[in-house]
Amino acid sequence: MPAHSNKQPRQHKQNFIAKLANQWFDRVVGAMKGDGLSAAEAAYAPHRTTRDFIWNTAGSAAWALVFPVMTMVSTQVVGVEQAGMISMAFIVALLLMFIGNFGTRAYQVSDLSEEHSFADYQVSRWITCIAMLVVGWLYCSIRGYDSEMFNISMGVILFKFVDALADVYEGRLQQVDKLYLGGLSQTIRSVIAVLAFCIVMLITHNSVVSCYAMAIAAVVTFVVITWPLTLMETPKSKGFSLPSFMQLFKATAPLFVAIFLFNVIENTPKFVMEGSLAYDNQLYYNALYFPAQMILIGAQLVYKPLLLRMTGVWQDAAKRRKFDLLIVGLMGVIVGITAAVWAVMAWVGLPVMSFLYGVDFEPYRGLLYVMLACGGVTAAIDFLYQVITIMRRQRDVTTLYLVTFGFSLFVPLLLVSFAGLSGAVLSYLIVESILLVLLTWEYFRIRRDLSREGQVRAYSSAADASRHGSHAEHTERTMFLARDDADNPEQEDEPTDLQPKRRKRPSELRAEREHRKEVLDRRLHRH
């Protein structure tokens, strides 16, 4: 008989992802069983600049790729018309997302002294995100969408609702200098959501089910990763304060108006096309827009990790010239990114796009170049908006966005009705260029006003010092004359701050009496 082996059965070794997931589960559950997530000890250190750039890049890239990947897969699986419907739903959801964000991210990140607690930011974000859902439902109802378009839109809106809600938690991580954790959270949510959409689309060939699957995946990642990660890795916040919340609302309302108007301006050509052109034009327009969006994303990858440090530079009045140089340098980077993307798209971009979408884009080469110019202009606008927020002059730009919004109401209508898709792209460039010129002018105006205020304060300080010096001199002269006019020579025996107390000699007293007599005689002679 063969001998029985004494070896123990080989244990299954977990792979890296399973091991990491189990460790994360144990940590979250342990914290919830203890004193709560906010009381848990942080496991990740701040001030990791390299990680900040890497994970912020990954998060921004993953977030930006969700839309093009959705449209590519949809075009291949359910056709151009359905892909155009999903594209339009995504545009509406993206615009509504800015209601959810309420323009708070840049303000929150630059709130270094934590004037408002994280609890205030959370309450504000939940309110605005719920408002986003309500407005989305009302828009789809009033717009008169059929059942399929309505459900596609609501599925995508729910996905962007989670994006907007997660943004305040990822902003908190950036506020405490852990931007890389916010980028990690954004990467995981975006990748899992788009995978859910693609897998369900390939299995069911159903756009509605695929959009809701994407939304559910985003909800799961928020509950499992983003929310607990933020609470465990940031200091416990002060409690909610209604006066602070109202101040926060007043401070961010101009930001919301500005950025919401900007996105209405940016997307007006698409809404005009929806009313006058078939849905396949939405696909063509957005496909041409994606390379331009890469310019915006590339610029954000450069300057977003620097917002915290730029805030510190701006708050030091002695470094304002350095702040101006940073602005010039980063604008130069935006120009360089635009030129690089332009070169790549002129070389291999159109053939790659045609392969990915299954549509020939060569006839749209001229429109692509115009759209790339729009991408550079948009990136510059977004950067100047962040800069003015750091300067805490966000109220100053609201009027500029309103003026540009006025142009966006009639320029796209005229050009789309005249030239269709080409008119939509051209109107986009015209309106965005107007806004960029106005914002640049506003930045220089703010800097000029601040420079004048500094000069006035310096002049006032110098004048005060001069008056103080004249008063002191007058006081010394008065005291000296009073002593000269005195009749009692014994006053000279009193000590001063510069002279020790001692009894004067008779010869010194006689000399001082004679000197005072001579002074009095000269004065009497003058009179």
Side-chain angles (χ1 to χ4, degrees), residues 226-242:
T226 307
W227 177 64
L229 178 66
T230 302
L231 296 185
M232 290 190 296
E233 290 298 326
T234 60
K236 188 174 182 179
S237 169
K238 295 181 295 184
F240 173 75
S241 168
L242 183 59

Side-chain angles (χ1 to χ4, degrees), residues 101-117 121 124-125 167 171 174-175 244-256 307-308 311 315 385-386 388-395:
N101 285 340
F102 209 72
T104 307
R105 177 65 178 264
Y107 190 90
Q108 178 188 12
V109 170
S110 57
D111 186 8
L112 300 182
S113 61
E114 297 194 27
E115 179 183 357
H116 307 285
S117 70
Y121 285 104
S124 173
R125 186 59 58 91
D167 177 75
Q174 184 179 4
Q175 187 184 21
S244 176
F245 166 78
M246 295 303 297
Q247 291 175 0
L248 176 62
F249 180 82
K250 291 178 181 179
T252 55
L255 295 173
F256 160 69
L307 290 179
L308 200 63
T311 302
Q315 291 179 353
Y385 162 80
Q386 306 288 345
I388 292 173
T389 301
I390 289 173
M391 298 165 76
R392 291 295 188 261
R393 298 294 290 267
Q394 59 270 18
R395 294 179 183 273

Side-chain angles (χ1 to χ4, degrees), residues 249-293:
F249 180 82
K250 291 178 181 179
T252 55
L255 295 173
F256 160 69
V257 172
I259 196 168
F260 184 76
L261 284 175
F262 169 67
N263 282 276
V264 171
I265 293 165
E266 188 176 42
N267 290 293
T268 297
K270 303 173 188 178
F271 288 104
V272 173
M273 284 194 301
E274 187 185 22
S276 57
L277 304 176
Y279 273 115
D280 57 350
N281 286 276
Q282 296 290 341
L283 174 68
Y284 298 135
Y285 186 99
N286 287 299
L288 295 172
Y289 173 74
F290 294 143
Q293 188 183 34

Side-chain angles (χ1 to χ4, degrees), residues 48-358:
R48 294 293 187 267
T49 305
T50 302
R51 291 183 187 177
D52 284 347
F53 274 97
I54 291 173
W55 281 109
N56 183 62
T57 300
S60 299
W63 184 86
L65 286 172
V66 169
F67 191 8
V69 170
M70 285 175 60
T71 54
M72 290 174 192
V73 173
S74 301
T75 304
Q76 300 283 0
V77 176
V78 293
V80 174
E81 186 73 14
Q82 285 272 310
M85 294 171 68
I86 293 174
S87 297
M88 193 64 225
F90 206 97
I91 296 304
V92 172
L94 188 61
L95 183 59
L96 292 170
M97 180 182 170
F98 291 100
I99 297 177
N101 285 340
F102 209 72
T104 307
R105 177 65 178 264
Y107 190 90
Q108 178 188 12
V109 170
S110 57
D111 186 8
L112 300 182
S113 61
E114 297 194 27
E115 179 183 357
H116 307 285
S117 70
F118 181 48
D120 298 334
Y121 285 104
Q122 287 183 84
V123 172
S124 173
R125 186 59 58 91
W126 275 99
I127 292 173
T128 55
C129 284
I130 292 171
M132 166 191 170
L133 281 180
V134 173
V135 173
W137 182 84
L138 289 173
Y139 173 83
C140 294
S141 300
I142 295 171
R143 189 69 180 78
Y145 287 148
D146 59 24
S147 176
E148 183 179 33
M149 186 60 184
F150 181 90
N151 282 288
I152 288 174
S153 298
M154 291 308 300
V156 179
I157 290 170
L158 182 58
F159 167 65
K160 300 310 290 183
F161 164 86
V162 179
D163 250 355
L165 186 61
D167 177 75
V168 77
Y169 292 89
E170 291 159 359
R172 174 61 172 167
L173 289 166
Q174 184 179 4
Q175 187 184 21
V176 299
D177 210 2
K178 294 184 178 182
L179 176 61
Y180 67 97
L181 295 179
L184 176 64
S185 167
Q186 188 178 41
T187 302
I188 294 173
R189 181 176 65 258
S190 300
V191 170
I192 291 180
V194 77
L195 283 176
F197 176 88
C198 294
I199 292 171
V200 174
M201 174 66 78
L202 291 172
I203 294 173
T204 65
H205 289 213
N206 189 305
S207 300
V208 173
V209 176
S210 301
C211 290
Y212 277 114
M214 177 176 62
I216 293 170
V219 171
V220 171
T221 59
F222 172 79
V223 173
V224 174
I225 297 173
T226 307
W227 177 64
L229 178 66
T230 302
L231 296 185
M232 290 190 296
E233 290 298 326
T234 60
K236 188 174 182 179
S237 169
K238 295 181 295 184
F240 173 75
S241 168
L242 183 59
S244 176
F245 166 78
M246 295 303 297
Q247 291 175 0
L248 176 62
F249 180 82
K250 291 178 181 179
T252 55
L255 295 173
F256 160 69
V257 172
I259 196 168
F260 184 76
L261 284 175
F262 169 67
N263 282 276
V264 171
I265 293 165
E266 188 176 42
N267 290 293
T268 297
K270 303 173 188 178
F271 288 104
V272 173
M273 284 194 301
E274 187 185 22
S276 57
L277 304 176
Y279 273 115
D280 57 350
N281 286 276
Q282 296 290 341
L283 174 68
Y284 298 135
Y285 186 99
N286 287 299
L288 295 172
Y289 173 74
F290 294 143
Q293 188 183 34
M294 291 301 103
I295 298 173
L296 173 62
I297 298 299
Q300 290 177 340
L301 293 178
V302 174
Y303 71 74
K304 273 195 172 181
L306 300 176
L307 290 179
L308 200 63
R309 291 161 180 79
M310 287 176 66
T311 302
V313 173
W314 173 254
Q315 291 179 353
D316 186 348
K319 296 181 178 179
R320 294 289 169 81
R321 184 59 60 85
K322 180 180 178 181
F323 186 83
D324 292 335
L325 292 176
L326 281 172
I327 305 304
V328 174
L330 289 171
M331 289 294 263
V333 169
I334 292 173
V335 173
I337 292 172
T338 304
V341 175
W342 187 303
V344 171
M345 293 306 299
W347 178 35
V348 296
L350 284 174
V352 171
M353 286 177 60
S354 300
F355 171 76
L356 293 174
Y357 286 93

Side-chain angles (χ1 to χ4, degrees), residues 499-516:
Q499 175 181 327
K501 182 177 181 180
R502 70 176 179 85
R503 188 175 184 82
K504 294 183 178 181
R505 297 185 182 92
S507 60
E508 293 175 336
L509 294 174
R510 283 195 303 271
E512 288 175 355
R513 283 197 296 269
E514 291 173 0
H515 175 69
R516 284 197 295 272

Side-chain angles (χ1 to χ4, degrees), residues 462-478:
D464 291 341
S466 176
R467 286 194 297 270
H468 179 74
S470 299
H471 175 72
E473 181 181 357
H474 174 73
T475 303
E476 290 176 2
R477 291 179 60 189
T478 304

